[in-house]
Amino acid sequence: MGKNTTNDMTQGNCMRLLVQFFLPILAGNLFQQLYSFADSMVVGKGIGDTALAAVGNTSSVHFLIIGFAIGLTGGLGICISQSFGSGNYEKLRKELAMSVWICLAIGIVITVVSLAFMRQLFTFLHTPEDLMTETLQYFGTILAGTTITIFNNFAMTLLRSVGNSRVPLAAMIISAIANVLMDLLFVFPLHMGVFGAALATVLAQVLSALYCCYYIGKEKNLIPKKTDWKPQGVIIKKLTLKGLPVAVMNSVTAVGGMVLQTFVNNMGTSYVAAYAACTKILGLFEQPANTVGLALLTFVGQNYGAGKMDRVRKGYRASLWTVGIWGLLISFVFICFPKAIADIFFHEPKAVATAVGYLVIIGFSEAFMCVELTTVGALSGLGRTRLCSIISIAFTSARIPLAIILGGLIGLSGIWWALSITSIIKGIIFTCTFLWITRKRG
């Protein structure tokens, strides 16, 4: 295989391979998070607080739609990483070709259905009237580029599945820089409003996808032959069964987020803005654990495909210690310095108080959340996506009645406690499940 495009993770020092693979993914994800902050600042400063709240109001719905698609493509990557680890490149090419057909079909369906029912969905979520117009304008533009977003994510997933995290890093950096520059151009001198911010995001995804495809095309074993493109039901079914549980898991998580978003929306625009900013903060701090999960998915997938379970266990143990320590550091920062973080984003006392309450309560569960994100990646690498889905759906769904009960007893903080408690339980259960499965296989 080409030296520049693929990386065999079934041989060599486990920790060294994981770190080398992990760092570019982390750098790319952090860069994307920092871009997200910059994007929010451009929208807030260039258009206004209402526009910022409108963009933030789309986050849970966006994750429902895109999270489903990304979960599905992530499942496709599991099969590809296992085929790569076993050295079966003929099977890999067929899986790649069928994955492209799946991505195209999912992209078209999501775009058409979502655009048709977009207004009804945001009405159901009790979106404040002063946010509705800009919410629909922004999200409609994002939806128009759904197929591009899906292909971009699949291209990066494909490269990571064969051990290449450097090209996706470069693609994300190029995309983020282009996005910010286009944001500044479309929002300030051209005065295109939230439509301009959304258009910048879509065009940046196009650049990222093209960059990844260029490097995929340089590796002959990643280019399907003409006969590989013929639809094959058995392979499509296998790929879908791997990806669908992850897609459903993401969707259920998003639905839970949408319900919580509804509770927050009913409290007013300032609470919506505070909640949107806090979720961005949380996303930034959780990136290392999320990235370790992505790295483990590829590492475990390749080694499981090669039948090397000792390396699977060794890689997981090293990763678990790393993210556990990171999670404890996050908890310390959130619990001890919440106001310092909130003051970076807000001046209004009500918004600062809301953010402080959220960060303190969520801080108690951060170590467990980090462990969960890492272990889900490891279990997915073993192909246990259905099991991950069952556990996640059960406890994520439990957040809704728990939020209603606790919210009725102690107000807004009850919603945050519902999130925190279920994250603690999921972290414990996922870890015990992985240890049990790998011990059983040993």
Side-chain angles (χ1 to χ4, degrees):
M1 301 293 283
K3 291 182 180 179
N4 294 328
T5 305
T6 62
N7 179 28
D8 185 357
M9 303 182 75
T10 63
Q11 300 179 47
N13 183 276
C14 295
M15 194 61 188
R16 180 176 58 81
L17 286 168
L18 279 168
V19 170
Q20 289 177 346
F21 188 68
F22 158 84
L23 289 177
I25 302 177
L26 176 62
N29 287 346
L30 288 176
F31 204 87
Q32 287 282 46
Q33 286 293 325
L34 291 173
Y35 143 72
S36 182
F37 282 114
D39 184 55
S40 297
M41 290 175 64
V42 171
V43 172
K45 298 292 185 181
I47 310 174
D49 291 343
T50 301
L52 179 60
V55 172
N57 185 52
T58 67
S59 59
S60 58
V61 183
H62 194 204
F63 185 63
L64 170 65
I65 297 169
I66 302 303
F68 179 90
I70 292 175
L72 190 62
T73 58
L76 306 179
I78 294 169
C79 295
I80 290 171
S81 67
Q82 291 179 354
S83 296
F84 180 78
S86 65
N88 192 340
Y89 304 126
E90 181 180 354
K91 180 183 176 186
L92 185 154
R93 286 192 296 269
K94 291 179 180 178
E95 290 171 342
L96 195 163
M98 295 306 100
S99 296
V100 171
W101 287 123
I102 292 172
C103 289
L104 180 62
I106 292 294
I108 293 173
V109 171
I110 287 177
T111 300
V112 173
V113 174
S114 299
L115 286 173
F117 296 99
M118 181 173 58
R119 176 176 286 275
Q120 292 90 327
L121 183 56
F122 283 110
T123 300
F124 173 76
L125 292 175
H126 299 172
T127 298
E129 195 59 39
D130 60 333
L131 302 183
M132 183 62 81
T133 299
E134 289 183 308
T135 294
L136 295 177
Q137 190 178 24
Y138 177 84
F139 201 59
T141 307
I142 293 293
L143 285 175
T146 297
T147 303
I148 295 170
T149 301
I150 292 173
F151 273 107
N152 180 46
N153 277 280
F154 175 67
M156 289 193 286
T157 296
L158 170 61
L159 287 164
R160 289 171 182 147
S161 297
V162 296
N164 188 329
S165 57
R166 300 182 306 279
V167 171
L169 165 62
M172 285 189 284
I173 291 175
I174 292 170
S175 173
I177 292 174
N179 204 331
V180 171
L181 292 176
M182 286 188 285
D183 268 340
L184 292 170
L185 174 64
F186 294 161
V187 170
F188 288 105
L190 298 182
H191 303 291
M192 295 171 66
V194 293
F195 167 72
L199 180 62
T201 299
V202 174
L203 293 177
Q205 294 285 311
V206 173
L207 288 176
S208 176
L210 290 174
Y211 185 83
C212 289
C213 287
Y214 169 75
Y215 278 91
I216 291 170
K218 292 176 68 175
E219 174 53 59
K220 64 178 183 179
N221 283 309
L222 297 183
I223 303 176
K225 299 177 181 178
K226 185 176 180 179
T227 54
D228 294 330
W229 291 101
K230 181 180 179 180
Q232 300 181 52
V234 174
I235 295 178
I236 291 175
K237 180 180 178 181
K238 178 186 175 184
L239 290 168
T240 303
L241 288 176
K242 288 292 183 185
L244 196 58
V246 184
V248 172
M249 179 174 67
N250 285 352
S251 296
V252 171
T253 300
V255 169
M258 288 165 60
V259 173
L260 297 180
Q261 183 76 56
T262 302
F263 295 156
V264 177
N265 285 350
N266 287 331
M267 296 182 171
T269 300
S270 62
Y271 288 98
V272 174
Y275 180 58
C278 283
T279 55
K280 287 183 181 293
I281 294 168
L282 196 63
L284 178 63
F285 277 92
E286 288 178 352
Q287 276 307 314
N290 190 45
T291 305
V292 171
L294 288 173
L296 269 180
L297 191 153
T298 298
F299 178 85
V300 171
Q302 286 193 20
N303 283 283
Y304 178 70
K308 298 182 177 181
M309 287 302 296
D310 285 343
R311 289 176 62 82
V312 169
R313 286 188 285 266
K314 187 175 180 180
Y316 176 74
R317 284 196 300 269
S319 301
L320 191 65
W321 276 105
T322 302
V323 298
I325 293 171
W326 174 250
L328 291 173
L329 288 174
I330 299 175
S331 294
F332 175 76
V333 172
F334 280 11
I335 294 170
C336 298
F337 307 104
K339 192 173 186 303
I341 298 173
D343 285 340
I344 296 173
F345 295 90
F346 304 105
H347 296 292
E348 184 184 345
K350 185 188 297 185
V352 171
T354 301
V356 168
Y358 177 91
L359 292 172
V360 169
I361 294 171
I362 293 299
F364 286 100
S365 65
E366 274 307 287
F368 297 93
M369 172 61 79
C370 289
V371 168
E372 176 195 344
L373 292 170
T374 298
T375 308
V376 167
L379 284 169
S380 297
L382 293 175
R384 297 302 188 103
T385 55
R386 188 180 304 175
L387 180 60
C388 290
S389 180
I390 292 171
I391 296 172
S392 184
I393 288 172
F395 289 97
T396 300
S397 300
R399 286 176 173 173
I400 298 174
L402 189 59
I404 294 173
I405 294 170
L406 295 178
L409 293 174
I410 57 178
L412 184 63
S413 60
I415 299 175
W416 311 150
W417 276 115
L419 291 170
S420 194
I421 291 170
T422 51
S423 291
I424 291 171
I425 296 173
K426 284 197 293 181
I428 294 171
I429 290 179
F430 272 118
T431 303
C432 292
T433 300
F434 182 86
L435 294 174
W436 179 78
I437 288 174
T438 53
R439 183 178 296 114
K440 178 183 177 182
R441 288 176 174 272

XYZ file of all heavy atoms in Angstrom, residues 62 65-70 72-73 76 99-115 139-156 201-210 213:
412
model
N -29.974 19.949 13.580
C -28.872 19.646 12.662
C -28.230 18.318 13.024
O -27.918 17.497 12.150
C -27.840 20.772 12.719
C -26.847 20.739 11.606
N -25.604 21.317 11.704
C -26.891 20.178 10.372
C -24.935 21.119 10.570
N -25.703 20.434 9.755
N -30.354 15.271 11.917
C -30.280 14.932 10.498
C -28.874 14.494 10.105
O -28.667 13.396 9.578
C -30.722 16.140 9.651
C -32.189 16.469 9.958
C -30.528 15.866 8.167
C -32.656 17.789 9.401
N -27.892 15.346 10.384
C -26.520 15.038 9.992
C -25.937 13.923 10.860
O -25.156 13.097 10.388
C -25.644 16.298 10.074
C -26.223 17.391 9.166
C -24.211 15.985 9.659
C -26.369 16.986 7.721
N -26.322 13.895 12.143
C -25.834 12.836 13.027
C -26.249 11.454 12.548
O -25.490 10.489 12.660
N -27.465 11.363 12.006
C -27.922 10.087 11.451
C -27.017 9.671 10.296
O -26.542 8.536 10.221
C -29.364 10.208 10.969
C -29.909 8.947 10.354
C -30.550 8.001 11.137
C -29.768 8.702 8.994
C -31.042 6.825 10.575
C -30.246 7.533 8.416
C -30.892 6.592 9.219
N -26.763 10.618 9.405
C -25.948 10.322 8.224
C -24.502 10.004 8.610
O -23.893 9.058 8.086
C -25.983 11.495 7.261
N -23.946 10.782 9.535
C -22.560 10.560 9.957
C -22.428 9.222 10.689
O -21.438 8.499 10.531
C -22.084 11.722 10.853
C -21.965 12.998 10.008
C -20.751 11.395 11.516
C -21.628 14.233 10.809
N -24.196 6.618 10.111
C -24.258 5.589 9.081
C -22.921 5.456 8.367
O -22.408 4.345 8.179
C -25.361 5.928 8.081
C -25.718 4.825 7.076
C -26.251 3.596 7.798
C -26.749 5.328 6.075
N -22.313 6.576 7.981
C -21.023 6.516 7.288
C -19.928 5.998 8.217
O -18.995 5.327 7.767
C -20.618 7.890 6.729
O -20.566 8.849 7.797
C -21.616 8.372 5.695
N -19.977 2.392 8.071
C -19.347 1.914 6.835
C -17.833 1.818 7.026
O -17.181 0.888 6.546
C -19.658 2.877 5.684
C -21.142 3.194 5.420
C -21.281 4.179 4.271
C -21.931 1.927 5.145
N -20.634 1.829 -0.343
C -20.772 2.929 0.613
C -21.101 4.236 -0.098
O -21.892 5.056 0.396
C -19.469 3.096 1.417
O -19.206 1.961 2.207
N -20.504 4.442 -1.262
C -20.792 5.653 -2.044
C -22.261 5.687 -2.450
O -22.931 6.723 -2.343
C -19.885 5.730 -3.284
C -20.335 6.859 -4.214
C -18.432 5.943 -2.864
N -22.786 4.545 -2.899
C -24.212 4.490 -3.269
C -25.100 4.774 -2.062
O -26.108 5.491 -2.169
C -24.550 3.112 -3.843
C -24.023 2.831 -5.212
C -23.210 1.794 -5.597
C -24.272 3.588 -6.412
N -22.929 1.859 -6.935
C -23.575 2.947 -7.464
C -25.016 4.732 -6.684
C -23.598 3.426 -8.773
C -25.040 5.212 -7.990
C -24.335 4.564 -9.013
N -24.734 4.221 -0.914
C -25.516 4.450 0.302
C -25.504 5.928 0.681
O -26.542 6.517 1.015
C -24.977 3.584 1.464
C -25.237 2.101 1.185
C -25.631 3.990 2.788
C -24.558 1.161 2.181
N -24.336 6.554 0.620
C -24.212 7.981 0.958
C -25.059 8.845 0.037
O -25.723 9.788 0.481
C -22.747 8.416 0.869
S -21.700 7.769 2.170
N -25.032 8.521 -1.261
C -25.817 9.293 -2.229
C -27.310 9.172 -1.940
O -28.039 10.181 -1.927
C -25.511 8.796 -3.647
C -26.252 9.502 -4.785
C -25.888 10.974 -4.821
C -25.934 8.834 -6.126
N -27.764 7.947 -1.692
C -29.188 7.728 -1.425
C -29.631 8.434 -0.146
O -30.664 9.114 -0.125
C -29.463 6.220 -1.327
N -28.846 8.286 0.919
C -29.191 8.920 2.195
C -29.197 10.438 2.065
O -30.080 11.129 2.583
C -28.192 8.488 3.294
C -28.366 7.011 3.613
C -28.378 9.334 4.558
C -29.705 6.660 4.245
N -28.223 10.990 1.344
C -28.142 12.432 1.175
C -29.360 13.009 0.483
O -29.917 14.028 0.904
N -29.797 12.345 -0.577
C -30.968 12.825 -1.325
C -32.228 12.742 -0.477
O -33.018 13.697 -0.415
C -31.134 12.014 -2.622
C -29.967 12.312 -3.581
C -32.469 12.346 -3.301
C -29.947 11.427 -4.812
N -32.422 11.619 0.197
C -33.633 11.445 1.023
C -33.684 12.467 2.153
O -34.718 13.102 2.395
C -33.690 10.005 1.592
C -34.809 9.883 2.620
C -33.899 8.994 0.472
N -32.565 12.642 2.854
C -32.526 13.584 3.976
C -32.809 15.003 3.494
O -33.583 15.743 4.118
C -31.155 13.528 4.686
C -31.032 12.246 5.496
C -30.970 14.738 5.607
C -29.690 12.078 6.173
N -32.218 15.392 2.384
C -32.412 16.750 1.873
C -33.872 17.010 1.532
O -34.458 18.018 1.959
C -31.542 16.974 0.613
O -30.168 16.802 0.954
C -31.738 18.378 0.072
N -34.480 16.111 0.777
C -35.870 16.304 0.332
C -36.842 16.313 1.506
O -37.677 17.217 1.648
C -36.267 15.207 -0.685
C -37.755 15.311 -1.011
C -35.442 15.335 -1.957
N -36.738 15.318 2.389
C -37.670 15.202 3.516
C -37.500 16.362 4.495
O -38.478 16.950 4.966
C -37.482 13.853 4.239
C -38.345 13.794 5.495
C -37.825 12.697 3.307
N -36.250 16.713 4.799
C -35.996 17.771 5.779
C -36.472 19.134 5.293
O -37.076 19.899 6.056
C -34.496 17.835 6.097
O -34.049 16.623 6.638
N -36.233 19.441 4.027
C -36.693 20.726 3.492
C -38.215 20.801 3.483
O -38.795 21.865 3.713
C -36.151 20.931 2.069
C -34.657 21.288 1.957
C -34.219 21.288 0.506
C -34.387 22.659 2.586
N -30.938 27.293 8.205
C -30.962 25.839 8.169
C -31.344 25.304 6.798
O -30.867 24.246 6.379
C -31.918 25.300 9.236
C -31.643 23.867 9.600
C -30.411 23.490 10.091
C -32.615 22.899 9.431
C -30.142 22.176 10.425
C -32.359 21.573 9.764
C -31.123 21.211 10.258
N -32.191 26.026 6.076
C -32.546 25.603 4.722
C -31.326 25.560 3.823
O -31.165 24.647 2.999
N -30.428 26.524 3.985
C -29.194 26.554 3.192
C -28.276 25.397 3.575
O -27.681 24.741 2.704
C -28.458 27.893 3.398
O -29.353 28.976 3.147
C -27.263 28.000 2.468
N -28.167 25.129 4.871
C -27.347 24.000 5.339
C -27.889 22.686 4.785
O -27.131 21.820 4.330
C -27.320 23.957 6.879
C -26.574 25.159 7.453
C -26.694 22.647 7.376
C -25.094 25.190 7.165
N -29.215 22.533 4.791
C -29.828 21.300 4.304
C -29.578 21.090 2.816
O -29.431 19.955 2.355
C -31.334 21.315 4.571
C -31.782 21.082 6.014
C -33.284 21.255 6.128
C -31.368 19.693 6.488
N -29.539 22.164 2.061
C -29.299 22.051 0.620
C -27.939 21.415 0.336
O -27.741 20.804 -0.724
C -29.393 23.425 -0.041
N -27.016 21.546 1.273
C -25.690 20.952 1.102
C -25.486 19.658 1.854
O -24.339 19.229 2.073
N -26.576 18.997 2.251
C -26.475 17.781 3.061
C -25.679 16.680 2.370
O -24.824 16.028 2.990
C -27.887 17.255 3.402
O -28.567 18.214 4.200
C -27.799 15.944 4.174
N -25.945 16.446 1.095
C -25.244 15.380 0.375
C -23.741 15.645 0.335
O -22.923 14.722 0.492
C -25.790 15.246 -1.055
O -27.208 15.007 -1.004
C -25.129 14.073 -1.771
N -23.367 16.909 0.156
C -21.942 17.277 0.161
C -21.326 16.975 1.523
O -20.220 16.429 1.623
C -21.780 18.768 -0.184
C -22.231 19.033 -1.610
C -20.326 19.216 0.008
C -22.341 20.503 -1.954
N -22.047 17.340 2.585
C -21.554 17.099 3.940
C -21.360 15.611 4.202
O -20.363 15.193 4.806
C -22.532 17.680 4.973
O -22.676 19.083 4.745
C -22.042 17.453 6.389
N -22.302 14.791 3.737
C -22.214 13.343 3.937
C -20.988 12.772 3.216
O -20.224 11.980 3.777
C -23.495 12.646 3.445
C -24.662 13.027 4.356
C -23.325 11.133 3.424
C -26.003 12.532 3.874
N -20.784 13.189 1.960
C -19.630 12.687 1.210
C -18.318 13.162 1.820
O -17.323 12.427 1.829
C -19.729 13.110 -0.252
C -20.513 12.150 -1.103
C -21.776 12.468 -1.555
C -19.987 10.903 -1.421
C -22.498 11.571 -2.324
C -20.703 10.000 -2.193
C -21.966 10.335 -2.647
N -18.296 14.374 2.323
C -17.087 14.875 2.977
C -16.750 14.044 4.211
O -15.600 13.653 4.429
C -17.269 16.346 3.369
C -16.044 16.917 4.046
O -14.917 16.741 3.609
N -16.257 17.600 5.157
N -17.763 13.742 5.019
C -17.544 12.929 6.218
C -17.133 11.511 5.860
O -16.284 10.913 6.533
C -18.811 12.917 7.079
C -18.910 14.132 7.967
O -18.296 14.216 9.020
N -19.687 15.103 7.537
N -17.724 10.970 4.800
C -17.342 9.611 4.410
C -15.909 9.577 3.896
O -15.159 8.630 4.181
C -18.285 9.054 3.341
C -17.840 7.711 2.832
C -17.870 6.597 3.666
C -17.349 7.558 1.547
C -17.427 5.355 3.227
C -16.910 6.322 1.097
C -16.951 5.219 1.935
N -15.509 10.590 3.128
C -14.138 10.639 2.606
C -13.135 10.660 3.754
O -12.112 9.950 3.724
C -13.959 11.860 1.710
N -13.409 11.455 4.796
C -12.510 11.498 5.944
C -12.550 10.188 6.732
O -11.513 9.713 7.218
C -12.858 12.693 6.837
C -12.499 14.033 6.211
S -12.539 15.434 7.356
C -14.313 15.638 7.532
N -20.385 27.785 5.062
C -20.203 26.445 5.614
C -20.292 25.380 4.536
O -19.465 24.459 4.475
C -21.260 26.169 6.703
O -21.104 27.120 7.761
C -21.127 24.759 7.261
N -21.280 25.491 3.674
C -21.463 24.504 2.602
C -20.286 24.520 1.628
O -19.749 23.470 1.260
C -22.786 24.763 1.851
C -22.903 23.827 0.644
C -23.979 24.559 2.781
N -19.861 25.704 1.205
C -18.747 25.814 0.255
C -17.445 25.289 0.859
O -16.622 24.682 0.164
C -18.580 27.265 -0.189
C -19.721 27.851 -1.032
C -19.462 29.315 -1.349
C -19.914 27.044 -2.318
N -17.257 25.502 2.161
C -16.060 24.983 2.828
C -16.057 23.462 2.840
O -14.999 22.827 2.714
C -15.987 25.527 4.252
N -17.248 22.849 2.973
C -17.358 21.387 2.920
C -16.963 20.855 1.546
O -16.357 19.789 1.425
C -18.794 20.964 3.251
C -19.247 21.248 4.663
C -18.657 20.281 5.668
O -18.686 19.074 5.479
N -18.111 20.816 6.745
N -17.309 21.603 0.504
C -16.936 21.208 -0.853
C -15.418 21.149 -0.990
O -14.856 20.183 -1.528
C -17.518 22.191 -1.891
C -16.990 21.867 -3.288
C -19.042 22.131 -1.892
N -14.734 22.169 -0.486
C -13.274 22.201 -0.549
C -12.655 21.018 0.184
O -11.721 20.372 -0.305
C -12.751 23.508 0.050
C -12.968 24.786 -0.762
C -12.475 26.002 0.025
C -12.256 24.705 -2.097
N -13.175 20.719 1.363
C -12.657 19.612 2.166
C -12.831 18.279 1.448
O -11.906 17.454 1.406
C -13.372 19.578 3.525
O -12.961 18.468 4.288
N -14.019 18.060 0.883
C -14.300 16.804 0.181
C -13.375 16.621 -1.023
O -12.843 15.529 -1.258
C -15.756 16.762 -0.261
N -13.169 17.677 -1.789
C -12.307 17.602 -2.967
C -10.862 17.286 -2.575
O -10.174 16.502 -3.239
C -12.364 18.917 -3.743
C -13.688 19.216 -4.464
C -13.656 20.602 -5.074
C -13.978 18.160 -5.535
N -10.671 13.578 -1.596
C -10.816 12.720 -2.774
C -9.532 12.694 -3.603
O -9.191 11.669 -4.208
C -11.987 13.194 -3.630
S -13.601 12.827 -2.900
